[in-house]
Each structure stands twice: as structure tokens, then as C-alpha cells.
Amino acid sequence: MTNNLTEFDAKAAESGSAATERFRESGKTATVEVPKERVSLLANEVLGAVYDAIRKHKVTYDEFNALKAWLINVGEDGEWPLFMDVWVEHVVEEVSTEDREGNKGTIEGPYYIPGAPEFDTPATLPMREDEGGTPLLFQGQIRGVDGTPLAGAKVEIWHADDNGFYSQFAPGLPEWNLRGTVAADAEGNFALNTVQPAPYQIPTDGACGKLIAAAGWHAWRPAHLHLKVSAPGHQLLTAQLYFDGDQHLSDDIASAVKPELVLSPTERGNGAGNEVTYDFVLDAVRA
Ligand code: MBD
Ligand code: FE
């Protein structure tokens, strides 16, 4: 390991392995016990859909072997978290939150890390002295469905930098760069200073990138802020916020954009960057 790598030296297999490691540590698999009737039902349906596609399109042995080789590469590159979150998570998110009355959320993605530094509002996210990108003041209020301001609310935020890289998933970045948890005030108001992220291109040099190239797709996600908004007695909201005018709002490779999640920041003047207000409405925990 050399010490002078920069984020531009990021390798798909390294960010993939880091995401795989993080997922294993997340505790998300610790309590999973899917009943065998359900495993059998879902496995049969998914395999059935594969058989249908093979018959319909008369899949050849060359194609079958290309798929087999590619699946092996996805695992070798540690890109199963990336694959699942880019191409599958959005539908799970859709069905698991369909009865929410409050804010719409969207997918978490592979780059969340719990335990980021905590701050009281108004906060400035950890960033380098010369952090690139347009400064952004992001503020708002967290309320219940009935409009009550929520005391004890928190906004956890993580996002890519102005070059599209996430700390802890690319070399050379400070550990918690552009990651933090902000405690709102007693009325649920929060304000935080950060920089606007750049559009994000999923790694092109790994197995997922190979699929994208082989299919003639593009690898872009629109620029986005990731958030987890919480308050006592309320359901955790996992969301992303996007930026008006981004060229990839309508063709996000991860299909995770919703119209209510698009911000329209305005200039603060005097070179102070942009500001935007966005309020969150959280559903109560169901009894
Ligand atoms: C990301 O930054 C992301 O948010 C998703 C969903 C997938 C890959 C990279
Ligand atoms: Fe992301």
C-alpha cells in the first residue's frame, strides 16, 4: 500500500470489496430467517422467469457461459452490493414503503456507513480545507404527519464529493469526509453546510461496468445527497435528494429518482454558494 493514492485511483474491485465488507458488518443479515415456503415460492418464480426468457429468446450455450463467467466476476469484484442496489433495491423500497403518508424516500445504496460524527444544528459536515464544489446550505424542518414539529429529530447525511467519490470507498479521502449526523433543535429545525456533489458514475472497470458497456447503457446516477431522517416514535426515512436540471434525473442507472425528491437551490449571493430548504414529514411507528 502506498500512501499517495488519490480518489482518482479508485478501483471497482476495491470499492466493491469495501461495500461487501460493510454489508457483512451491518447486522442486516443477522436476523434473516426466511420461511422455507417463501424461499421455495420466490426461488421458483424467479427461476421460472429465467426459463421463460431463455425459451422466448432461444438463449445459446455461448450466452449461457458468458452469463456464468460474468456472475463469477461480480463476486470476485465484490460487486453484489452494487448490483443489488443499482438494479433491484428500488423495487423493494417501493413495495416496503407503499403505505407511507409522510415523505417519499428512496434506496440506501451501497455506500452508507453508520457511526458518522455527530453535530448540533447548525452544522458543517467534515470536509477538506480545499473541498471542491459549490457550497450548499441545506436546511429544513422535521415534522409528523399531523404537522407537529418533532423534537429529538436527526438528519444523517452522506454524499459524494465534487469528483463523484465517497469517503471510505475511494483512496486518499479523510475517513468521514462529507458524512455526518446533525441533531435538529427542539422544533425539528436543522441547518447544515456542505458542498454540492457531482453526478456519480458507478465504477466502469468492474463486473457491473462490464454489463453496462456490453449492453450499451450508461453508468450515471444524477448528483445526490443521501439521508436518513429519524425521530423518536417515528419510522426511519431513508432518502436521496437530487438537483433540478441534472441531466440524469430521467435516466438514473439505479432508477431511484422521484419527482418529490428534487431540490431547486438558489444562490445566496456574494459568492456564498447555494441554499435550499426541504422539510421532512415522518410517519409514526405503527402500533
Ligand atoms: C451510489 O452512490 C448509489 O447511491 C447507488 C444507489 C448505487 C451506486 C452508487
Ligand atoms: Fe450514492
Side-chain angles (χ1 to χ4, degrees), residues 33-46 92 95:
E33 271 274 344
V34 183
K36 72 170 180 294
E37 295 73 20
R38 184 93 175 147
V39 173
S40 180
L41 172 79
L42 294 175
N44 274 324
E45 283 215 18
V46 170
V92 180
V95 300

Side-chain angles (χ1 to χ4, degrees), residues 70 87 207-219 253:
W70 179 78
W87 283 296
C208 290
K210 211 166 171 190
L211 168 62
I212 288 167
W217 301 339
H218 72 73
I253 185 70

Side-chain angles (χ1 to χ4, degrees), residues 82 85-86 89 107-111 166 200 202 221 224 226 240 254:
L82 182 66
D85 296 355
V86 167
E89 187 184 358
I107 65 175
E108 177 176 309
Y111 301 146
Y166 285 84
Y200 176 85
I202 74 164
R221 300 212 59 221
H224 55 281
H226 287 272
Q240 295 180 36

Side-chain angles (χ1 to χ4, degrees), residues 161-181:
D161 66 13
D162 187 46
N163 296 315
F165 293 103
Y166 285 84
S167 57
Q168 302 191 43
F169 295 94
L173 291 167
E175 187 175 22
W176 295 104
N177 210 52
L178 303 175
R179 297 175 181 271
T181 297

Side-chain angles (χ1 to χ4, degrees), residues 29-107:
T29 58
T31 56
V32 176
E33 271 274 344
V34 183
K36 72 170 180 294
E37 295 73 20
R38 184 93 175 147
V39 173
S40 180
L41 172 79
L42 294 175
N44 274 324
E45 283 215 18
V46 170
L47 288 169
V50 172
Y51 305 151
D52 288 348
I54 294 169
R55 291 195 179 103
K56 180 172 170 196
H57 301 289
K58 304 214 180 296
V59 169
T60 65
Y61 259 102
D62 281 349
E63 289 166 338
F64 172 71
N65 287 326
L67 174 62
K68 222 162 152 178
W70 179 78
L71 288 167
I72 291 167
N73 287 342
V74 176
E76 280 177 354
D77 290 345
E79 285 198 332
W80 281 116
L82 182 66
F83 175 86
M84 291 297 284
D85 296 355
V86 167
W87 283 296
V88 182
E89 187 184 358
H90 69 100
V91 194
V92 180
E93 192 277 335
E94 174 191 313
V95 300
S96 66
T97 60
E98 64 193 356
D99 53 6
R100 285 213 176 158
E101 293 171 52
N103 258 85
K104 289 264 186 266
T106 190
I107 65 175

Side-chain angles (χ1 to χ4, degrees), residues 109-121:
Y111 301 146
Y112 171 64
I113 302 193
E118 299 192 16
F119 307 93
D120 286 330
T121 187

